[in-house]
Amino acid sequence: MVNKITSLAEYLQKYQESVADPEGFWEKIAESHYWHKKWDKVLDWYFEGENAPNVNWFVNAKVNITENIFERNMFMRKDQVALIWEPNDPEEKEIKLTYGELFEKVKQFANALLKIGIKKGDRVAIYLPMVPELTIAMLACARIGAIHSIVFAGFSATALADRVNDATCNIIITSDGAHRGTKTIPLKAVVDEAVAKCPSVDYTVVLNRTGEAVDMVEGRDFWWHDFIKGVGTENKAEVMDAEDILFILYTSGSTGKPKGVVHSTGGYMVYAEYTFKNVFQYSDGDIYWCTADIGWVTGHSYIVYGPLLTGATSVMFEGVPTWPDAGRFWQVVDKYKVNQFYTAPTAIRALLAQGNEWVTKYDLSSLKVLGTVGEPINEEAWRWYHDLVGKGRCPIVDTWWQTETGGIMITPLAGITPTKPSLATLPLPGIQPILVDPEGNELKGNSQEGILCIKYPWPGMLRTTYGDHKRCYQTYFSTYRGLYLTGDGAKRDEEGYYRIIGRIDDVINVSGHRIGTAEVEDAINQHPKVNESAVVGYPHDIKGSGIYAYVICEDLSDTEMETIEEEIRDTVSKFIGPIAKPDKIQIVNGLPKTRSGKIMRRILRKIGEGDATNLGDTSTLLDPGVVEEIISGAKVSVKR
Ligand code: WT7
């Protein structure tokens, strides 16, 4: 397979090449793609200076990513399965779509979008469960040059409306409802509530998935099946500039509202394909399964774009790991004879807790590679995954990356890079990590711990934050001049291997999802009885981190006191979604603040960790008594 590294020596050599001559390195890789017009220059960039960051890959090249998925693969793979869809309910029949069939559906939906006037550059919101139509809709957008903004279907109406408004989307593609285990979630009802607050939305398209009753507004809402009725499949791809936006994906930061991370077409395409085939060591004919939701970047890059560009067979799963029982993942691996399996540490920990028999009951001999992503994997989970799931035969790729990086950055290459439990190991070719101290001084050599930054552009990196380029600079490039700030702390061991420690900012990694503490606080503060709140993370066995909220309320009556915590959780659910609900809530009378009024989260974190004996310097506190009160204090409500 073209551009696939096959040995450690080759990796080391490629890495050297990629640092000595990054442009030459990526140019060679990009040659294997189909371009309408090649670049005048491979890279044009600065991280510091007027209107920074400025990053242009494949300058003036013309391309369409779907032609690289379909037309480029069609000769060899027309009848090969591109997508295997496994429904929530194991009793329901799966769907397999070949490259040929998927192509027809993408072109037809693309034509339907064009017919109602959606065109290049328009923003299309997609709020769908994990059904094949999600992949079809996103690729149809890419086909016509519309920018997709996929919103995870677990977000609330308010969160959806915020994202739709930020990107001024014209249309929302959704379904009547979603199946998740035994539950059904009424997505169209959520969309209706959101649309009432979204003046830019002219249309919705509604897939019939659960069959529940929905309200349809004449002229605004179309059923998916009516929307494509009679629409042809003849379609010429829109020719895009390499730097035209492919998609926006919102992610939380340490302050304020979520940022729309912008990825452009050419660089993202090259990076998604290159990282997919190398990290997972995908070979022709393999069956690959990533369990993520396409609502997150992992699904964008490693269910859809990376695998389909490579010509892989990619499994897409609608359900949850624990329904009908804790053996579901392994039943599906057995059913399709999955070769590469990619999931999150939180899922591994949850399944580990259910006992080994759920794993051993299935034939997992097809597995060749196991992957993890989203958070540090603890050694116990790593061992269980390696020894029990992989029977000690399958290398684990612990892949570190972010929404902003577009693709995997630091990782072993499966079966090539020697692994160590809990270490993401080495950077991919083309990636130049650097550790710095808090003042920004480079920490050179091995055996170092510091703040992880990247010092040179790579094709898959974000280009801006939608509608606010200054915010992009401010968030990622202003802290240490000339460096991209990841927001993670990391250790480089004696061999030069990286271990990711975790976020150094006010972002909590809950089950591999980024939750900004400020966002949760804003949501909690919407409750009429709440005066102020402070949110921190604390160690959680399954989720990695749980959410701990300290809340100051107005005088509460005894009856109000009984329900306040549940009401706070409901408020968070309403403003963000169930994933952001605090695991622990403690009603307090005061918060530890400095004389300048800043909340000392360090102290709250310590208390949350149950380590209140060692609070460090508290001399700058306005009222040290507050801390005593919190420690000795009130009861903590724990979410069931
Ligand atoms: C943050 C990015 C991109 C994948 C899904 C999450 C943490 C990600 C690892 C890993 C330790 C990891 C980091 C990072 N993270 N992968 N292998 N080991 N930590 O994307 O929501 O943008 O979150 O997830 O803290 O900054 P995201």
Side-chain angles (χ1 to χ4, degrees):
M1 196 171 264
V2 64
N3 293 323
K4 193 170 127 188
I5 293 168
T6 57
S7 69
L8 187 59
E10 192 187 349
Y11 160 74
L12 294 168
Q13 184 211 329
K14 289 281 177 217
Y15 190 79
Q16 290 313 324
E17 269 177 47
S18 78
V19 174
D21 176 17
E23 279 113 274
F25 173 79
W26 288 113
E27 176 158 45
K28 251 184 259 154
I29 291 165
E31 294 285 352
S32 75
H33 287 83
Y34 172 68
W35 304 85
H36 280 265
K37 173 184 171 291
K38 290 221 172 127
W39 43 93
D40 299 333
K41 196 174 167 206
V42 177
L43 173 66
D44 191 15
W45 76 286
Y46 48 86
F47 286 171
E48 193 59 47
E50 200 188 316
N51 222 10
N54 174 59
V55 176
N56 296 290
W57 280 94
F58 310 112
V59 180
N60 290 329
K62 304 288 175 220
V63 66
N64 185 292
I65 196 167
T66 70
E67 287 181 312
N68 281 272
I69 292 175
F70 295 115
E71 279 91 338
R72 188 176 57 138
N73 281 322
M74 210 39 72
F75 179 67
M76 280 193 34
R77 308 192 190 274
K78 187 163 185 287
D79 298 319
Q80 181 200 310
V81 174
L83 210 61
I84 300 177
W85 176 71
E86 172 68 13
N88 177 60
D89 185 344
E91 304 287 312
E92 191 180 338
K93 180 120 184 72
E94 74 273 6
I95 293 175
K96 292 183 178 175
L97 294 173
T98 64
Y99 274 85
E101 290 162 342
L102 182 61
F103 190 24
E104 293 301 296
K105 289 183 187 294
V106 166
K107 287 186 294 183
Q108 185 184 39
F109 199 73
N111 285 336
L113 289 172
L114 289 170
K115 210 170 131 186
I116 57 156
I118 305 293
K119 54 184 191 310
K120 177 176 173 177
D122 288 351
R123 278 80 53 215
V124 175
I126 303 180
Y127 186 73
L128 274 171
M130 284 287 286
V131 289
E133 286 79 3
L134 171 50
T135 303
I136 292 165
M138 73 195 280
L139 294 177
C141 289
R143 185 81 183 169
I144 66 172
I147 299 166
H148 58 73
S149 173
I150 302 181
V151 180
F152 173 61
F155 277 117
S156 70
T158 312
L160 173 62
D162 288 347
R163 287 157 178 75
V164 167
N165 285 333
D166 188 75
T168 53
C169 299
N170 306 119
I171 176 169
I172 305 180
I173 300 167
T174 188
S175 64
D176 47 4
H179 292 300
R180 264 185 88 73
T182 53
K183 287 190 233 160
T184 51
I185 299 146
L187 295 190
K188 175 60 163 63
V190 176
V191 168
D192 288 340
E193 199 187 325
V195 170
K197 290 178 273 183
C198 298
S200 61
V201 173
D202 298 321
Y203 304 111
T204 78
V205 177
V206 186
L207 178 77
N208 179 343
R209 174 64 190 122
T210 57
E212 65 205 88
V214 295
D215 296 329
M216 298 291 280
V217 174
E218 179 81 39
R220 184 194 77 181
D221 300 340
F222 302 94
W223 285 106
W224 179 292
H225 50 266
D226 292 332
F227 190 65
I228 59 172
K229 198 175 277 165
V231 175
T233 63
E234 205 60 30
N235 176 283
K236 252 178 77 190
E238 182 75 35
V239 178
M240 307 293 286
D241 190 274
E243 282 299 334
D244 280 338
I245 300 177
L246 176 63
F247 67 85
I248 306 170
L249 185 57
Y250 285 83
T251 190
S252 296
S254 46
T255 53
K257 57 175 189 145
K259 294 178 286 279
V261 169
V262 170
H263 283 289
S264 65
T265 307
Y268 176 84
M269 170 183 82
V270 170
Y271 199 66
E273 179 176 328
Y274 181 75
T275 55
F276 171 74
K277 66 173 79 158
N278 277 293
V279 173
F280 297 100
Q281 289 290 298
Y282 186 85
S283 296
D284 256 337
D286 283 349
I287 309 292
Y288 161 88
W289 179 20
C290 166
T291 69
D293 193 292
I294 295 175
W296 311 108
V297 74
T298 306
H300 281 62
S301 299
Y302 298 111
I303 296 176
V304 180
Y305 286 115
L308 298 185
L309 284 160
T310 305
T313 299
S314 182
V315 178
M316 185 178 172
F317 175 45
E318 182 185 32
V320 296
T322 49
W323 189 77
D325 59 49
R328 187 68 193 278
F329 273 1
W330 321 121
Q331 178 250 325
V332 175
V333 168
D334 191 351
K335 179 175 179 186
Y336 299 115
K337 305 296 168 215
V338 169
N339 302 113
Q340 290 91 3
F341 178 74
Y342 190 30
T343 196
T346 187
I348 298 167
R349 288 191 298 265
L351 295 177
L352 178 160
Q354 302 288 317
N356 293 355
E357 59 281 9
W358 296 113
V359 184
T360 51
K361 121 184 209 199
Y362 295 100
D363 174 10
L364 305 183
S365 60
S366 59
L367 287 173
K368 297 196 282 193
V369 175
L370 299 172
T372 73
V373 60
E375 51 181 320
I377 178 163
N378 50 309
E379 193 155 342
E380 187 195 2
W382 196 96
R383 295 254 172 240
W384 186 82
Y385 199 32
H386 184 264
D387 298 345
L388 191 75
V389 177
K391 308 284 182 288
R393 297 180 294 105
C394 306
I396 293 183
V397 290
D398 175 352
T399 63
W400 174 83
W401 59 297
Q402 311 178 293
T403 304
E404 294 86 344
T405 69
I408 298 168
M409 302 284 280
I410 302 182
T411 179
L413 301 183
I416 291 177
T417 315
T419 58
K420 295 185 196 173
S422 308
L423 274 78
T425 76
L426 298 171
L428 285 175
I431 304 308
Q432 300 188 36
I434 160 173
L435 295 179
V436 299
D437 68 13
E439 282 70 52
N441 304 304
E442 177 166 6
L443 301 167
K444 292 203 175 103
N446 292 341
S447 305
Q448 294 280 12
E449 176 172 345
I451 298 157
L452 179 63
C453 296
I454 314 288
K455 67 176 172 199
Y456 200 86
W458 64 100
M461 71 182 292
L462 87 163
R463 300 299 196 262
T464 187
T465 46
Y466 194 78
D468 193 350
H469 193 58
K470 280 211 179 72
R471 190 167 180 207
C472 177
Y473 176 76
Q474 190 59 34
T475 311
Y476 304 105
F477 298 92
S478 69
T479 313
Y480 303 117
R481 295 185 156 230
L483 299 178
Y484 165 80
L485 174 72
T486 67
D488 282 320
K491 266 187 187 156
R492 191 161 50 223
D493 78 359
E494 60 293 344
E495 269 191 284
Y497 273 28
Y498 288 86
R499 177 200 289 272
I500 309 302
I501 299 165
R503 304 291 309 189
I504 52 161
D505 51 9
D506 288 322
V507 170
I508 314 177
N509 190 324
V510 182
S511 301
H513 301 309
R514 260 155 75 170
I515 310 276
T517 54
E519 250 182 287
V520 182
E521 289 164 5
D522 287 349
I524 293 174
N525 298 349
Q526 300 288 336
H527 189 287
K529 285 278 171 182
V530 170
N531 285 342
E532 200 181 356
S533 61
V535 165
V536 295
Y538 74 97
H540 186 290
D541 285 349
I542 305 282
K543 298 179 173 185
S545 301
I547 301 175
Y548 197 136
Y550 300 86
V551 185
I552 306 177
C553 293
E554 267 163 42
D555 319 320
L556 297 172
S557 69
D558 287 351
T559 42
E560 282 173 332
M561 198 66 195
E562 267 166 37
T563 53
I564 186 73
E565 285 104 353
E566 261 337 280
E567 289 177 25
I568 289 173
R569 290 197 176 92
D570 290 346
T571 308
V572 173
S573 206
K574 173 165 178 265
F575 283 92
I576 306 175
I579 50 170
K581 278 190 191 179
D583 297 278
K584 292 188 178 178
I585 298 176
Q586 184 173 346
I587 306 297
V588 297
N589 293 320
L591 291 166
K593 289 189 179 168
T594 61
R595 290 194 187 91
S596 57
K598 213 174 147 247
I599 296 173
M600 288 185 80
R601 286 165 197 285
R602 181 176 59 76
I603 291 178
L604 295 175
R605 253 182 245 122
K606 281 276 183 198
I607 299 174
E609 283 166 17
D611 185 16
T613 49
N614 175 25
L615 292 180
D617 182 14
T618 54
S619 62
T620 54
L621 279 180
L622 182 64
D623 174 10
V626 164
V627 176
E628 280 313 307
E629 204 181 297
I630 295 175
I631 296 169
S632 60
K635 71 174 189 5
V636 180
S637 148
V638 181
K639 190 172 90 186
R640 279 178 298 132

